[in-house]
Amino acid sequence: MKNYYYVHIFSVLASLFLFNSCGKTHKKTTSWLKFGQDPTQRIMVNSPKFDSQKAFDNIDIQVGYGYRVPMSNAHQQTGDWIVARMQGYGMHVIEQSFDAISADYKPIKGRNIIASYNRNSKKRILIATHWDTREIADKDLLFKNKPIPGANDGASGVAVMIEIARLIYENNSKPGIGLDFIFFDAEDGGQPIDSDKKPANQYGGYCMGSEYWALNPHKENYSAYFGILIDMVGAKNATFMKDEASMQIAPNVVSMVWNKAKDLGYESFFIDKRGVSIINDHYPMIEYGHFPVIAITDQRGGDITFFPQHHTTHDDLFVIDEKTLNAVGQTLLQVIYQEPAQMQ
């Protein structure tokens, strides 16, 4: 997750508003506007119980590989591990290789991983995160040029998605929809916030994997009823405010997710408060993907904005709280198992 925001926010949001108003995707937006329009509706269905210990173990494995900076050995090993896990849980996996640029403007190869469940279903939900880690700890007081461990910023989203895939595979009850789990690469290689260099893309050098996928989806004419991006979803005292861009593009989806979290007792995590717009992987998907995507991202008030260890060498296992992982994982499972009934 980047600390680059505001610089391009107004131009990007303007494009989102244009995207929503110019009428070029009416056929695709009509379907998702039909479901979940009554955010007060309180129907709960049975869903598998999220195992936060297994999710924590998934973070431990990733951190154990080392810094997942693109093109490193740890990056290769982690990518192979994600592929093996998702294939082992019965998913159909596609990999995308693409060209990107690092924080120090070096050319790198990125690797998006797309794992699909029930891939012939036309009713689909997309769940996404990024799996790479930042190569510079630009917020660290002492080690600004070292990479970050990325326990929360990167590994937590991967861990939650892999645990959800395991539960779907091992549970007798299956969701009645198609799911696409996308692990974006080259998300966190953007320029430091105080950089005077020209950004490598319109997102400040961030979001390169999602930008590539949005322009080159794994399936021709791909669409989903909605998507949910998760990022930094494992830290102690996390608060998930309603991202401003998500509220602008898909307020009904935000209300649906936050209401489900409240019904499950997680309102202390999913705060009923609007946050700021932070450029993240949902931006390219919204801008080019022609379906609504919202973000679940740890936002905090005051001067911190993100969790205190953000983009430092202290983003390690000590940051992680299983209660946070559980709140996000169980909420997503409830969404996955409940929403198909409303997709008409």
Side-chain angles (χ1 to χ4, degrees):
M1 173 61 217
K2 67 289 308 154
N3 59 30
Y4 180 94
Y5 54 97
Y6 294 129
V7 176
H8 290 287
I9 191 69
F10 294 110
S11 62
V12 175
L13 276 178
S15 70
L16 300 187
F17 298 147
L18 177 62
F19 163 85
N20 241 13
S21 62
C22 69
K24 67 179 179 180
T25 59
H26 281 310
K27 290 184 180 180
K28 291 184 178 180
T29 57
T30 300
S31 59
W32 65 264
L33 285 171
K34 287 182 179 178
F35 83 92
Q37 284 191 322
D38 180 6
T40 64
Q41 190 175 15
R42 294 295 207 265
I43 301 173
M44 299 293 284
V45 300
N46 291 327
S47 63
K49 181 175 173 56
F50 190 81
D51 191 328
S52 58
Q53 177 62 58
K54 281 186 169 29
F56 182 90
D57 292 343
N58 288 336
I59 296 175
D60 191 12
I61 290 170
Q62 294 172 80
V63 173
Y65 283 128
Y67 307 117
R68 281 89 64 211
V69 175
M71 298 181 66
S72 66
N73 289 335
H75 181 264
Q76 180 68 41
Q77 290 176 316
T78 304
D80 293 347
W81 172 78
I82 293 172
V83 170
R85 281 293 179 96
M86 299 306 276
Q87 288 179 335
Y89 297 144
M91 304 284 171
H92 178 263
V93 176
I94 295 173
E95 298 185 53
Q96 287 183 327
S97 178
F98 62 94
D99 294 320
I101 301 173
S102 69
D104 57 357
Y105 294 88
K106 294 179 181 178
I108 58 174
K109 282 289 184 181
R111 179 187 185 188
N112 288 336
I113 301 169
I114 304 101
S116 298
Y117 163 80
N118 196 10
R119 62 192 179 114
N120 293 323
S121 174
K122 294 182 179 180
K123 296 180 178 181
R124 311 199 67 76
I125 294 174
L126 181 151
I127 310 292
T129 193
H130 76 92
W131 66 280
D132 62 308
T133 54
R134 188 161 176 76
E135 65 180 306
I136 51 171
D138 49 307
K139 286 186 177 181
D140 201 289
L141 295 177
L142 298 176
F143 304 107
K144 293 183 179 296
N145 293 319
K146 287 190 175 182
I148 69 170
N152 190 35
D153 192 0
S156 64
V158 173
V160 167
M161 286 168 49
I162 287 179
E163 174 57 10
I164 289 174
R166 182 191 72 82
L167 289 167
I168 291 173
Y169 177 71
E170 295 182 358
N171 200 277
N172 291 329
S173 176
K174 306 292 184 184
I177 54 167
L179 294 168
D180 297 294
F181 298 91
I182 304 187
F183 303 84
F184 291 123
D185 197 5
E187 189 272 353
D188 218 355
Q191 286 71 49
I193 195 169
D194 58 354
S195 174
D196 57 359
K197 295 181 179 180
K198 182 180 179 180
N201 67 0
Q202 64 175 316
Y203 308 111
Y206 296 94
C207 308
M208 290 195 176
S210 58
E211 183 179 32
Y212 180 84
W213 179 87
L215 292 168
N216 305 274
H218 65 285
K219 185 177 181 180
E220 187 176 2
N221 297 319
Y222 176 86
S223 188
Y225 275 75
F226 61 89
I228 301 175
L229 172 75
I230 60 175
D231 191 7
M232 303 188 302
V233 292
K236 297 179 178 71
N237 304 313
T239 54
F240 306 110
M241 297 183 186
K242 297 177 178 179
D243 169 75
E244 180 61 28
S246 301
M247 290 296 291
Q248 293 289 348
I249 199 70
N252 58 328
V253 181
V254 175
S255 294
M256 176 268 294
V257 173
W258 262 248
N259 283 336
K260 282 182 171 52
K262 182 177 181 180
D263 290 342
L264 291 166
Y266 301 132
E267 61 267 32
S268 64
F269 294 95
F270 288 78
I271 306 298
D272 188 15
K273 180 179 179 181
R274 289 174 85 134
V276 299
S277 287
I278 302 169
I279 293 178
N280 208 333
D281 280 331
H282 61 318
Y283 268 71
M285 289 193 285
I286 293 171
E287 190 169 1
Y288 302 112
H290 310 308
F291 60 93
V293 186
I294 71 165
I296 299 175
T297 307
D298 188 356
Q299 285 192 40
R300 313 209 180 175
D303 296 330
I304 297 177
T305 304
F306 305 127
F307 67 108
Q309 300 84 3
H310 179 251
H311 284 189
T312 73
T313 58
H314 302 291
D315 182 8
D316 52 30
L317 290 175
F318 292 102
V319 169
I320 304 300
D321 189 340
E322 289 186 28
K323 293 178 182 177
T324 307
L325 295 170
N326 189 68
V328 175
Q330 198 63 63
T331 297
L332 288 176
L333 280 167
Q334 191 65 32
V335 169
I336 289 168
Y337 274 78
Q338 184 166 325
E339 280 309 302
Q342 300 185 54
M343 292 181 179
Q344 302 298 329

